[in-house]
């Protein structure tokens, strides 16, 4: 349990620092940092870079587009393909942003032996199954699921409680 606590704490502290310093969620900042490293790319490529599902990345990217931090456009090489890229405002925000713990986590996993990663994946999958969390789609770390609701719906829900 101590190891799980340490990882969760590292991710939580990192996400809070992102929100405090630059005003966006840790998940949004992590996606922006991946775009800074990769350049313009598709949602699928971004999902691969963040090691998460395309639908989760798509929700985060939509929020970033709404804030003017990311743009979506047709690819210059294939008009059928949409690409997302940092906007000038996004690049400015990134210069003030802290490094994200997710990047450290992914790098750490990459340094592990393949056999260690396999054992870890099997053990975590068993734990997820045992606690009943295997029915939920995995989202990016600490992305507030309620923030995807339209503003009126969130207010209404808040007023009802």
């Amino acid at each position: 349990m101590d190891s799980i606590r340490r990882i969760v704490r590292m991710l939580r502290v990192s996400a809070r620092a992102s929100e405090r310093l630059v005003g966006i969620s840790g998940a949004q900042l992590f996606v922006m940092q991946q775009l800074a490293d990769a350049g313009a790319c598709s949602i699928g490529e971004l999902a691969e870079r963040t090691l998460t599902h395309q639908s989760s990345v798509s929700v985060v990217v939509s929020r970033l587009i709404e804030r003017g931090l990311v743009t979506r456009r047709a690819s210059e090489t294939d008009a059928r393909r949409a690409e997302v890229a940092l906007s000038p405002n996004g690049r400015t925000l990134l210069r003030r942003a802290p490094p994200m713990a997710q990047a450290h986590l992914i790098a750490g996993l990459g340094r592990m032996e393949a056999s260690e990663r396999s054992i870890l994946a099997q053990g975590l999958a068993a734990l997820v199954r045992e606690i009943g969390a295997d029915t939920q789609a995995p989202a990016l770390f600490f992305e507030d699921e309620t923030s995807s609701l339209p503003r009126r719906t969130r207010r209404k829900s808040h007023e009802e409680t």
Side-chain angles (χ1 to χ4, degrees):
M1 277 303 284
D2 284 345
S3 295
I4 292 173
R5 284 187 194 108
R6 285 182 179 120
I7 292 169
V8 170
R9 181 180 187 284
M10 179 184 80
L11 293 167
R12 187 180 59 243
V13 167
S14 177
R16 285 183 182 159
S18 164
E19 291 170 11
R20 188 179 68 253
L21 294 173
V22 293
I24 63 174
S25 74
Q28 292 169 350
L29 180 55
F30 181 56
V31 166
M32 289 179 63
Q33 288 173 337
Q34 294 304 305
L35 282 172
D37 291 344
C41 60
S42 70
I43 294 291
E45 291 166 338
L46 199 49
E48 286 178 23
R49 290 188 63 83
T50 59
L51 303 178
T52 193
H53 194 269
Q54 289 182 1
S55 62
S56 296
V57 172
S58 182
V59 169
V60 172
V61 166
S62 294
R63 291 181 188 143
L64 291 169
I65 289 170
E66 287 174 12
R67 296 197 57 181
L69 300 172
V70 169
T71 61
R72 184 184 336 242
R73 60 180 159 77
S75 167
E76 294 176 4
T77 57
D78 183 352
R80 298 169 295 176
R81 172 184 146 110
E83 291 181 336
V84 292
L86 288 174
S87 70
N89 287 343
R91 289 192 187 288
T92 299
L93 182 139
L94 270 182
R95 284 193 282 275
R96 301 181 322 208
M100 292 307 300
Q102 290 96 315
H104 295 294
L105 184 62
I106 290 170
L109 288 168
R111 288 188 300 270
M112 291 172 64
E113 296 291 327
S115 60
E116 290 176 311
R117 280 193 309 270
S118 178
I119 291 167
L120 178 62
Q122 290 172 9
L124 289 174
L127 176 60
V128 165
R129 204 173 37 254
E130 290 300 321
I131 64 174
D134 57 337
T135 60
Q136 304 164 354
L140 286 161
F141 289 114
F142 300 103
E143 180 62 12
D144 182 14
E145 286 136 12
T146 60
S147 65
S148 65
L149 297 173
R151 191 171 292 248
R152 284 189 309 267
T153 303
R154 276 189 279 149
R155 281 192 192 132
K156 184 177 179 185
S157 298
H158 181 65
E159 291 169 1
E160 292 173 357
T161 58

